[in-house]
Amino acid sequence: MQVIVRDNNVEQALRALKKKMQREGLFREMKERRAYEKPSERRVREKAQAIARLRKAARKKMQREGLRSAARRRASTR
């Protein structure tokens, strides 16, 4: 993974690096590897993730076909 620092702007390069790491799923993987996970817990987690992916794909398909309106984002209460 590579990030170019332009005009000695390290803060901008760090933001770009964090965004790339987030997209690659590195933060999630580091969090998962922090502690040992039993194989049975791993199976349960992976199955739940697969179900969530399928539901998300079904939602997107319904939106594309016009059977469901696009999800509205909640307004921030801050």
Side-chain angles (χ1 to χ4, degrees):
M1 198 172 298
Q2 222 176 33
V3 175
I4 299 170
V5 179
R6 295 188 180 124
D7 300 327
N8 290 330
N9 194 345
V10 177
E11 289 81 19
Q12 183 179 7
L14 274 175
R15 280 197 305 270
L17 177 65
K18 280 185 176 180
K19 194 179 288 187
K20 280 187 176 186
M21 290 173 71
Q22 184 76 33
R23 244 184 269 130
E24 293 291 324
L26 270 172
F27 291 123
R28 189 180 318 114
E29 187 175 341
M30 286 190 314
K31 185 178 177 183
E32 287 173 2
R33 289 176 184 250
R34 218 172 263 165
Y36 178 75
E37 185 177 27
K38 289 172 38 178
S40 60
E41 292 173 348
R42 181 171 165 239
R43 279 192 298 272
V44 169
R45 178 181 50 82
E46 287 179 350
K47 191 169 185 173
Q49 287 175 340
I51 291 169
R53 274 195 311 273
L54 288 173
R55 284 185 180 155
K56 183 176 181 180
R59 261 196 323 269
K60 289 214 175 246
K61 183 179 177 186
M62 289 176 72
Q63 284 176 2
R64 280 195 303 271
E65 293 173 355
L67 299 174
R68 180 184 176 131
S69 61
R72 290 176 286 188
R73 293 194 171 222
R74 293 182 184 170
S76 180
T77 57
R78 292 181 189 179

